[in-house]
Amino acid sequence: MKTSFDALILGAGVSGLSVGIVLLKQGYSVEIWAKDVPPHTTSDVAAALWYPYLCNPRDKAITWSKNTHDYLKEFALSDPRSGCMMRSFIELFEEPVGEPWWADAVDAYRHALPDELPPGYVDGYQTDVVLMDSEVYMRWLVDVFTELGGVITIREVSEFSEACVANPVVINCTGLGSRQLCGDARVYPVRGQVVRAALNSFSDIVVSETASGLSLIAPRIDDVVLGGTTQANNWNTEVDEEDTAEILRKVAALSPAFTDVNVLDVKVGLRPARDEVRLETEQMNGGVVIHNYGHGGAGYTLSWGCAQDVLALFEGVLQ
Ligand SMILES: Cc1cc2nc3c(=O)[nH]c(=O)nc-3n(C[C@H](O)[C@H](O)[C@H](O)COP(=O)(O)OP(=O)(O)OC[C@H]3O[C@@H](n4cnc5c(N)ncnc54)[C@H](O)[C@@H]3O)c2cc1C
């Protein structure tokens, strides 16, 4: 049966909701169909900080992440309901490093000062980024989407033809679900496990990636997210106790503030990784599908920039 909406979006993660809000703000009517809705999507597991991690191609990622940061800074300044906040961010390295590849995406950055380097680290970057408290932010995105007139229907799609029959313009934001829906084996899971712990006095975001893997400290509004794991092609969505122990060991090595952690919760999500984000139009089943998936470890960081490009493709299709 045909819907009466201008666009049908598949997926209610950060990608689908951001696209939906951008379209609604341009005056288009939008329905989302999603198998899972917040707080039960991969997006809900993220920390989530602005940080272009595990995403390609880099030239486009710089533009998308810069545009996204502009949106997020505005939310942090103007709307406390959004759960967005500016934080100092430090990325640590065991070797001296040159300019970060994402330098053009931030207003300014500097190398870390000696007293900002934990034992074993010789270099680092400091910049100010927006952190989204994902629980608050995802709820806020749903609220903004529905307040603007968007409709969310819980519905799984097994083939695009189901969606194309309902609406001639379908926007595919199904993340890892695109592996099956598009038959796209280039999308694969990168398993992330994170520990949610009680807040302490530590207020900066710290990230490092060494031979022993990714470490992350992200203090949010009511808790601190500690990470993490980056396990490619691991489909396990259960908590792994050994991963938890390793995460706690790694963050304790970063700061004595985390030698004795009060664990509140442990979560697992599968990042929708791809050699490059797929953002393009495809003619299909008598309709048009605009793909927007494969954001890897940066779905939040790329969200608004990608949504702007989806809007441009959508308006091109309408013409
Ligand atoms: C531990 C962890 C930490 C992370 N930290 C960060 C971070 O700090 N910053 C950052 O930018 N990113 C981070 N990420 C990555 C980020 O979470 C993802 O890139 C992002 O969530 C992808 O969003 P999405 O909307 O594309 O996909 P998802 O959130 O997976 O949403 C996909 C949607 O599509 C729906 N769907 C799937 N298949 C179908 C189907 N067949 N029919 C209907 N609906 C379907 C799903 O139900 C869901 O609603 C992290 C990820 C993890 C796991």
Side-chain angles (χ1 to χ4, degrees):
M1 202 180 78
K2 288 240 179 294
T3 69
S4 55
F5 297 89
D6 295 320
L8 173 59
I9 297 174
L10 303 181
V14 69
S15 304
L17 288 166
S18 307
V19 169
I21 291 168
V22 165
L23 263 56
L24 287 162
K25 285 192 169 172
Q26 287 299 309
Y28 299 107
S29 58
V30 182
E31 183 176 19
I32 286 180
W33 289 358
K35 176 162 64 81
D36 305 297
V37 297
H40 304 296
T41 70
T42 298
S43 299
D44 294 279
V45 177
L49 56 136
W50 181 97
Y51 176 53
Y53 179 62
L54 286 180
C55 60
N56 278 298
R58 283 190 167 181
D59 55 343
K60 288 185 180 168
I62 286 172
T63 306
W64 288 327
S65 52
K66 183 175 179 8
N67 291 344
T68 301
H69 214 204
D70 290 342
Y71 274 81
L72 299 175
K73 282 185 284 190
E74 181 60 30
F75 300 150
L77 283 173
S78 65
D79 198 337
R81 288 184 317 153
S82 67
C84 293
M85 61 211 104
M86 290 301 294
R87 284 270 194 269
S88 173
F89 165 94
I90 294 185
E91 184 173 10
L92 299 166
F93 298 94
E94 293 173 316
E95 308 285 337
V97 285
E99 180 168 90
W101 69 268
W102 41 260
D104 289 343
V106 293
D107 297 333
Y109 85 93
R110 62 168 170 80
H111 282 262
L113 304 172
D115 67 357
E116 292 171 326
L117 300 172
Y121 293 95
V122 302
D123 206 349
Y125 307 125
Q126 188 283 335
T127 184
D128 292 331
V129 303
V130 174
L131 173 73
M132 294 141 275
D133 189 314
S134 54
E135 286 168 38
V136 180
Y137 185 72
M138 288 298 290
R139 215 165 36 230
W140 179 73
L141 286 182
V142 170
D143 287 348
V144 173
F145 178 79
T146 49
E147 281 162 18
L148 287 167
V151 172
I152 300 178
T153 304
I154 297 181
R155 175 164 174 177
E156 181 171 3
V157 170
S158 49
E159 290 180 4
F160 279 115
S161 55
E162 290 171 39
C164 292
V165 164
N167 197 302
V169 190
V170 174
I171 302 171
N172 172 29
C173 302
T174 55
L176 194 55
S178 289
R179 185 177 166 97
Q180 195 172 350
L181 201 52
C182 304
D184 183 354
R186 288 164 71 185
V187 201
Y188 62 96
V190 175
R191 180 177 177 278
Q193 180 166 315
V194 284
V195 172
R196 216 167 54 77
L199 266 185
N200 56 23
S201 57
F202 199 90
S203 61
D204 293 349
I205 300 170
V206 180
V207 169
S208 89
E209 196 161 23
T210 64
S212 63
L214 175 78
S215 305
L216 164 73
I217 299 172
R220 309 197 299 182
I221 299 171
D222 294 322
D223 56 18
V224 49
V225 176
L226 306 172
T229 65
T230 44
Q231 298 154 347
N233 292 308
N234 184 335
W235 289 89
N236 180 18
T237 53
E238 299 297 315
V239 169
D240 181 319
E241 297 302 341
E242 283 181 23
D243 285 343
T244 304
E246 178 66 2
I247 288 168
L248 295 178
R249 189 195 63 71
K250 287 189 298 187
V251 294
L254 286 179
S255 167
F258 295 98
T259 42
D260 189 15
V261 170
N262 178 4
V263 174
L264 304 175
D265 196 7
V266 184
K267 292 183 172 186
V268 176
L270 304 179
R271 300 177 184 88
R274 196 172 185 270
D275 54 335
E276 56 180 34
V277 173
R278 186 174 184 202
L279 207 164
E280 64 182 7
T281 298
E282 186 179 9
Q283 304 288 332
M284 207 186 276
N285 302 312
V288 173
V289 177
I290 301 171
H291 298 288
N292 178 31
Y293 66 85
H295 303 92
Y300 282 83
T301 309
L302 307 178
S303 55
W304 296 102
C306 288
Q308 284 179 333
D309 281 9
V310 170
L311 171 68
L313 291 179
F314 177 73
E315 295 194 318
V317 168
L318 294 189
Q319 282 167 14

